[in-house]
Coordinates of all heavy atoms in Angstrom, one line a residue:
S16 N 127.1 -104.3 -50.4 CA 127.8 -105.2 -49.7 C 129.2 -104.6 -49.3 O 129.2 -103.2 -49.3 CB 128.2 -106.4 -50.7 OG 129.2 -106.2 -51.6
G17 N 130.2 -105.2 -48.9 CA 131.4 -104.5 -48.4 C 132.0 -103.5 -49.4 O 132.3 -102.4 -48.9
A18 N 132.1 -103.7 -50.7 CA 132.7 -102.9 -51.6 C 131.8 -101.5 -51.7 O 132.5 -100.4 -51.8 CB 132.8 -103.4 -53.1
L20 N 129.9 -100.5 -49.2 CA 130.1 -99.7 -48.0 C 131.4 -98.9 -47.9 O 131.4 -97.8 -47.5 CB 130.1 -100.7 -46.8 CG 128.7 -101.4 -46.4 CD1 128.9 -102.5 -45.5 CD2 127.7 -100.3 -45.8
F207 N 129.0 -112.5 -40.1 CA 128.4 -111.3 -40.6 C 128.9 -111.0 -42.0 O 129.7 -110.1 -42.3 CB 128.9 -110.0 -39.8 CG 128.4 -110.3 -38.3 CD1 129.3 -110.9 -37.4 CD2 127.2 -109.9 -37.8 CE1 129.0 -111.2 -36.1 CE2 126.8 -110.1 -36.5 CZ 127.7 -110.8 -35.7
S208 N 128.4 -111.9 -43.0 CA 128.9 -111.8 -44.4 C 127.7 -112.1 -45.2 O 126.8 -112.9 -44.9 CB 130.0 -112.8 -44.7 OG 131.1 -112.6 -43.8
R209 N 127.7 -111.6 -46.5 CA 126.7 -111.9 -47.4 C 126.7 -113.4 -47.6 O 127.8 -114.1 -47.4 CB 126.8 -111.2 -48.7 CG 128.0 -111.4 -49.5 CD 128.1 -110.4 -50.5 NE 129.5 -110.1 -50.9 CZ 130.2 -110.9 -51.8 NH1 129.5 -111.9 -52.4 NH2 131.5 -110.5 -52.0
W213 N 131.6 -119.0 -51.2 CA 133.0 -118.8 -50.9 C 133.2 -118.1 -49.5 O 134.3 -118.1 -48.9 CB 133.8 -118.0 -51.9 CG 133.5 -116.5 -52.1 CD1 132.5 -116.0 -52.8 CD2 134.4 -115.6 -51.5 NE1 132.6 -114.6 -52.6 CE2 133.8 -114.3 -51.9 CE3 135.5 -115.4 -50.8 CZ2 134.3 -113.1 -51.5 CZ3 136.0 -114.3 -50.3 CH2 135.4 -113.1 -50.7
K214 N 132.1 -117.5 -49.1 CA 132.1 -116.8 -47.7 C 132.2 -117.9 -46.6 O 132.5 -117.6 -45.4 CB 131.0 -115.9 -47.6 CG 131.1 -114.6 -48.4 CD 132.3 -113.7 -47.9 CE 132.3 -112.4 -48.6 NZ 133.5 -111.7 -48.0
A234 N 124.2 -113.1 -39.9 CA 123.6 -111.8 -40.5 C 124.1 -111.9 -42.0 O 125.3 -112.2 -42.3 CB 124.1 -110.6 -39.8
G235 N 123.2 -111.3 -42.9 CA 123.7 -111.2 -44.3 C 122.7 -111.9 -45.2 O 122.1 -112.9 -44.8
G265 N 119.0 -112.3 -41.6 CA 118.9 -111.6 -42.9 C 119.9 -110.3 -42.9 O 120.8 -110.3 -42.1
Q266 N 119.7 -109.5 -43.9 CA 120.7 -108.3 -44.0 C 120.4 -107.3 -43.0 O 119.3 -106.9 -42.9 CB 120.5 -107.7 -45.5 CG 121.5 -106.7 -45.9 CD 122.9 -107.4 -46.1 OE1 123.1 -108.5 -46.2 NE2 124.0 -106.5 -46.0
R267 N 121.4 -106.9 -42.3 CA 121.2 -106.0 -41.1 C 122.0 -104.8 -41.3 O 123.0 -104.7 -42.1 CB 121.8 -106.7 -39.8 CG 121.0 -108.0 -39.5 CD 119.7 -107.7 -38.9 NE 119.8 -107.1 -37.6 CZ 119.0 -107.4 -36.6 NH1 118.1 -108.4 -36.6 NH2 119.1 -106.7 -35.4
S268 N 121.6 -103.7 -40.7 CA 122.2 -102.4 -40.8 C 122.9 -102.1 -39.4 O 123.4 -101.0 -39.2 CB 121.3 -101.3 -41.3 OG 120.3 -101.3 -40.4
V270 N 125.3 -104.1 -37.7 CA 126.3 -105.2 -37.4 C 127.2 -104.9 -36.2 O 127.4 -105.7 -35.4 CB 127.2 -105.4 -38.7 CG1 128.4 -106.2 -38.5 CG2 126.3 -106.1 -39.8
H282 N 134.9 -115.4 -39.3 CA 135.1 -115.0 -40.6 C 135.5 -116.2 -41.4 O 136.8 -116.4 -41.5 CB 136.0 -113.8 -40.7 CG 136.1 -113.2 -42.0 ND1 135.2 -112.1 -42.4 CD2 136.8 -113.4 -43.1 CE1 135.5 -111.7 -43.6 NE2 136.4 -112.5 -44.1
E288 N 140.4 -113.9 -49.0 CA 139.7 -112.7 -48.7 C 140.4 -111.5 -49.2 O 141.6 -111.4 -48.7 CB 139.3 -112.7 -47.2 CG 138.4 -111.6 -46.9 CD 136.9 -111.8 -47.4 OE1 136.2 -112.7 -47.1 OE2 136.6 -110.8 -48.2
F290 N 139.9 -108.4 -48.5 CA 140.2 -107.5 -47.3 C 139.4 -108.1 -46.1 O 140.0 -108.8 -45.3 CB 139.7 -106.1 -47.5 CG 140.1 -105.2 -46.4 CD1 141.4 -104.7 -46.2 CD2 139.1 -105.0 -45.3 CE1 141.7 -103.9 -45.1 CE2 139.5 -104.1 -44.3 CZ 140.8 -103.7 -44.1
G291 N 138.1 -107.9 -46.1 CA 137.4 -108.4 -44.9 C 137.1 -107.4 -43.9 O 137.8 -107.4 -42.8
R292 N 136.2 -106.4 -44.2 CA 135.8 -105.4 -43.2 C 135.3 -106.0 -41.9 O 135.6 -105.4 -40.9 CB 134.7 -104.6 -43.9 CG 135.1 -103.7 -45.0 CD 133.8 -103.2 -45.6 NE 132.9 -102.5 -44.8 CZ 132.8 -101.3 -44.4 NH1 133.7 -100.4 -45.1 NH2 131.9 -100.6 -43.6
T293 N 134.7 -107.1 -42.1 CA 134.2 -107.8 -40.8 C 135.3 -108.0 -39.8 O 135.0 -107.9 -38.6 CB 133.5 -109.1 -41.3 OG1 132.8 -108.9 -42.3 CG2 132.8 -109.8 -40.2
E296 N 135.9 -104.7 -38.1 CA 134.7 -104.4 -37.3 C 134.8 -105.1 -35.9 O 134.4 -104.5 -34.9 CB 133.4 -104.7 -38.1 CG 133.1 -103.7 -39.2 CD 132.1 -104.1 -40.3 OE1 131.8 -105.4 -40.1 OE2 131.8 -103.3 -41.0
Ligands
UDP1 N1 127.2 -106.5 -43.4 C1 126.1 -105.8 -43.2 N2 124.9 -106.4 -42.9 C2 124.9 -107.8 -42.8 C3 126.1 -108.5 -43.2 C4 127.2 -107.9 -43.4 O1 126.2 -104.5 -43.2 O2 123.8 -108.3 -42.7 C5 128.5 -105.8 -43.7 C6 129.6 -106.1 -42.8 O3 129.4 -105.4 -41.5 C7 130.8 -105.6 -43.5 C8 130.4 -105.9 -44.9 O4 129.0 -106.1 -44.9 O5 131.0 -104.3 -43.4 C9 131.0 -107.1 -45.6 O6 132.3 -106.7 -45.9 P1 133.5 -107.7 -46.2 O7 134.6 -106.9 -46.6 O8 133.7 -108.5 -44.9 O9 133.0 -108.6 -47.2 P2 132.4 -108.3 -48.8 O10 131.0 -108.2 -48.8 O11 133.1 -107.1 -49.3 O12 132.9 -109.5 -49.6

Side-chain angles (χ1 to χ4, degrees):
S16 74
L20 288 168
F207 304 89
S208 302
R209 63 195 154 85
W213 77 274
K214 288 291 187 183
Q266 189 69 16
R267 301 283 295 219
S268 56
V270 166
H282 190 85
E288 185 62 65
F290 186 80
R292 286 167 54 92
T293 311
E296 288 163 349

